[in-house]
Amino acid sequence: MKNINKVLDILEEIYPDAKCELDYTTPFELLVATILSAQCTDVRVNKVTGDMFKKYNTPKDFANLSIEEIEEEIKSCGLYKSKAEKIKSTSEKIFNEYNGKVPDNLEDLTKLPGVGRKTANVVLSNAFNQDAMAVDTHVFRVSNRIGIVNTQTPEKTEFALMDAIPKKRWSHSHHLLIFHGRRICKARKPECGICPITKYCKYYKNNFDKVHS
């Protein structure tokens, strides 16, 4: 896509409040919240962590909990059993191997149990203010649908977006694409009739321009 900066400029105008919608006060809280956010809404995660972080909010706290105790706290999030195991193991590793501090680099973050590139990049960009491209389902769908990239996997999408988008815009463009994916460019039925970037969109050209021409 030649007009990527123009597209991002338009999305910035439409979503001036685009930012991470998970509630957190420390890198560790964001890490836990991001693990919980898999196949779960941010609203639900914030409800769960709002109560849980008042009681437990450090790697040591969670390392000292049993998996069953963590499960009880996060039960209303999907996949809570596997998430509880990941949170427990990750907390133990951070406490024992990183002096209780969340690593601030991709290599060490992705060594943590249950922390893939997406989760690591969310933490790096939001908690540590680093330029990073986190690719979740919205970013993967929207960036391929509108034609910024043409890739088959989230990891390939991450690297393609890093090539296509100026580095200083990586972190914010992630939020812009998520907001657009949640509000207009929805998974099952994109609302092309109210979309401000149709003139640049591959999906729109392929599906609607032919009808109108």
Side-chain angles (χ1 to χ4, degrees):
M1 179 184 281
K2 295 177 184 174
N3 299 292
I4 178 62
N5 280 307
K6 181 65 178 170
V7 168
L8 293 175
D9 290 343
I10 294 169
L11 293 179
E12 279 186 355
E13 287 178 27
I14 303 299
Y15 311 113
D17 57 339
K19 60 177 176 45
C20 179
E21 294 189 293
L22 293 169
D23 294 336
Y24 67 96
T25 61
T26 66
F28 179 73
E29 287 186 357
L30 178 59
L31 178 60
V32 171
T34 307
I35 291 171
L36 290 175
S37 70
Q39 297 183 36
C40 186
T41 66
D42 288 354
V43 173
R44 167 58 58 188
V45 172
N46 289 339
K47 189 169 171 47
V48 168
T49 58
D51 294 329
M52 182 170 69
F53 288 159
K54 289 173 186 169
K55 295 179 280 184
Y56 320 108
N57 71 343
T58 68
K60 185 178 181 181
D61 289 340
F62 283 95
N64 287 333
L65 291 173
S66 67
I67 288 177
E68 290 73 27
E69 287 172 317
I70 299 173
E71 285 178 0
E72 197 57 39
E73 291 289 336
I74 66 170
K75 217 166 198 171
S76 61
C77 287
L79 310 173
Y80 71 93
K81 285 187 176 292
S82 66
K83 289 176 184 178
E85 290 178 11
K86 289 173 184 174
I87 291 169
K88 167 85 168 164
S89 300
T90 286
S91 299
E92 289 174 341
K93 193 172 178 79
I94 293 172
F95 181 65
N96 292 322
E97 297 180 30
Y98 296 98
N99 298 315
K101 295 189 184 305
V102 174
D104 63 356
N105 63 85
L106 187 70
E107 184 182 357
D108 286 329
L109 277 169
T110 51
K111 287 177 184 172
L112 299 172
V115 177
R117 293 184 67 91
K118 186 215 80 168
T119 297
N121 282 323
V122 167
V123 173
L124 289 174
S125 62
N126 293 288
F128 294 113
N129 203 28
Q130 296 181 20
D131 297 315
M133 177 58 70
V135 177
D136 69 354
T137 54
H138 297 292
V139 175
F140 177 60
R141 178 182 75 254
V142 174
S143 61
N144 277 280
R145 181 186 272 165
I146 67 179
I148 299 175
V149 297
N150 181 20
T151 52
Q152 284 72 49
T153 67
E155 187 163 328
K156 286 180 179 176
T157 300
E158 177 192 336
F159 291 113
L161 285 172
M162 287 162 69
D163 283 339
I165 296 172
K167 186 174 182 180
K168 65 183 182 194
R169 300 191 84 159
W170 287 354
S171 292
H172 195 220
S173 63
H174 152 80
H175 298 304
L176 293 171
L177 292 169
I178 288 175
F179 269 55
H180 194 55
R182 285 177 176 165
R183 289 155 177 78
I184 292 178
C185 199
K186 297 172 183 174
R188 293 186 182 173
K189 197 173 181 188
E191 297 181 20
C192 299
I194 60 168
C195 180
I197 59 171
T198 50
K199 68 185 279 189
Y200 305 109
C201 176
K202 180 182 77 174
Y203 177 86
Y204 187 83
K205 284 193 177 85
N206 290 342
N207 289 277
F208 297 100
D209 269 6
K210 293 170 186 171
V211 176
H212 296 149
S213 58

